[in-house]
Amino acid sequence: MIVMKFGGTSVADGECIRGAACLVRDWMDAHDGHPPVVVVSALGGVTNSLIEAARAAAKGNGDQCRSVRLALENRHRQAIECCVVDENRGEELLRQMSGLLDWLENLCRSIHTLGELTPRGLDVVSGLGERLSARIMAATLQELGVPAEPVEATEVIVTDDKFGNAVPLTEETTSKARERLLPLLDEGTVPVVGGFAGATLGGVPTTLGRGGSDYTATILARCLEADEVWLWTDVDGVMTSDPRIVPEARTLSVVSYAEMAELSYFGAKVLHPKTIRPAVEAAIPVWVKNTFNPTHPGTLINGRGLPESGVRGITTIRDLTVITVEGRGMLGVPGVAGKVFSTVAT
Ligand code: ADP
Ligand code: ASP
Ligand code: MG
């Protein structure tokens, strides 16, 4: 069994969503119709728009939410019209989309009235994009004759209440994910799970941090004891550098878990920094592949890596500030480093 995740550019519009759905169908055709678990990000850029709308509402700009709603409605409608031919299916999907966008507008109105945006409120708004994309992807698979069902992240990912950067609760997530997803897989249906989000034990929506759909995929893989995770993105795998900055960057064919954890922690945006943790714990190989160049093998991330050592890649983190703490009384005084770190941590 595998978990396949499609990132924002891989589901940016109707044509991309159809392409992604074809990759799922092709994989099933090559594996006796066995369904993968599919995880999707929001359509590229949607999460940013949602966050901007909520922040603008809190600052007193109520109009931005209306314009964001209209833009999102347009974009998702176009995607639905491109992917879904069946009239009933299309109408049902448009109805659900309007319902979710009405709810967004109401939320923004409340934020506007209160003049305050809490981290908890922001998580409710920012997770909406994946709720829309999961529904569209499931319907697109159905159009291709593949049985599929959208699954809300809040139904399967249980987290603590660190809003904006929530930590999954392993035991609770494992039992919920298995209970919800295994029956679907057994009957040959592809579960399409919205990435990035989760919910506390009490059902309050949370998010796993920006770019968190990668993490959703490996969390689910560990819970379901999957054989592999395939992360479909817009480049040929993990590269020696960010190809947007360094055009001559090369794809690394194999990377160890430790190398990948370090690369992503230090800025390689290709993976959410925590993605590798569940994979390491369950020794699950992770492939990073290009949706727009699917015959390229991509990068394999596993426990072994390559025997060669040396520099594997170069990463950058933008907008950092370096603070230098100095003073005559510091030399050899025990506890100074501890005091500095505790001060910064609060
Ligand atoms: P997705 O939406 O599929 O999750 P992201 O935009 O989050 O995609 O991550 C893919 C992007 O990461 C690439 O388009 C690339 O610009 C950037 N990137 C940064 N560092 C690296 C790297 N070392 N290898 C590959 N891509 C990288
Ligand atoms: N849509 C979310 C984000 O933009 C999560 C993801 O794409 O992985 O951060
Ligand atoms: Mg990403």
Side-chain angles (χ1 to χ4, degrees), residues 211 214 242 244 260 263-264 266-273 315-316:
D214 300 319
D242 184 345
R244 278 185 219 171
M260 191 62 238
L263 283 169
S264 51
F266 286 106
K269 187 194 166 223
V270 65
L271 290 196
H272 181 283
T315 61
T316 43

Side-chain angles (χ1 to χ4, degrees), residues 137-255:
M137 173 62 98
T140 308
L141 285 165
Q142 290 163 6
E143 288 279 316
L144 297 178
V146 175
E149 185 173 316
V151 175
E152 299 272 355
T154 48
E155 294 178 76
V156 288
I157 304 284
V158 186
T159 71
D160 67 7
D161 61 359
K162 267 196 210 105
F163 297 105
N165 196 16
V167 178
L169 307 179
T170 306
E171 239 172 73
E172 291 81 352
T173 303
T174 303
S175 76
K176 276 207 153 190
R178 293 182 77 86
E179 194 181 313
R180 178 75 173 96
L181 304 179
L182 289 180
L184 292 175
L185 294 170
D186 284 345
E187 66 179 41
T189 299
V190 177
V192 183
V193 185
F196 179 48
T200 63
L201 274 172
V204 181
T206 55
T207 63
L208 304 172
R210 294 305 308 271
S213 301
D214 300 319
Y215 194 23
T216 307
T218 52
I219 293 168
L220 291 178
R222 180 185 54 196
C223 295
L224 301 170
E225 296 171 7
D227 299 300
E228 289 184 2
V229 176
W230 288 22
L231 302 174
W232 289 101
T233 184
D234 58 357
V235 286
D236 287 338
V238 179
M239 308 182 79
T240 46
S241 205
D242 184 345
R244 278 185 219 171
I245 303 171
V246 184
E248 59 272 34
R250 296 179 285 106
T251 300
L252 297 162
S253 57
V254 185
V255 173

Side-chain angles (χ1 to χ4, degrees), residues 5 7-8 41-43 45-48 126 130 195-196 209-214:
K5 172 256 172 178
S41 291
L43 275 60
V46 164
T47 311
N48 284 348
S126 61
E130 276 74 6
F196 179 48
R210 294 305 308 271
S213 301
D214 300 319

Side-chain angles (χ1 to χ4, degrees), residues 323-345:
I323 301 173
T324 308
V325 181
E326 56 186 13
R328 277 189 305 278
M330 287 171 61
L331 209 64
V333 180
V336 170
K339 262 192 203 162
V340 171
F341 282 119
S342 325
T343 309
V344 177

Side-chain angles (χ1 to χ4, degrees), residues 57-89:
K59 282 194 189 137
N61 178 357
D63 295 342
Q64 186 156 349
C65 189
R66 184 83 203 138
S67 61
V68 165
R69 186 230 155 95
L70 292 175
L72 291 182
E73 190 154 6
N74 242 334
R75 214 170 142 197
H76 288 86
R77 181 185 298 277
Q78 276 174 18
I80 292 168
E81 283 168 0
C82 171
C83 295
V84 181
V85 177
D86 182 281
E87 228 172 84
N88 290 337
R89 189 176 286 136

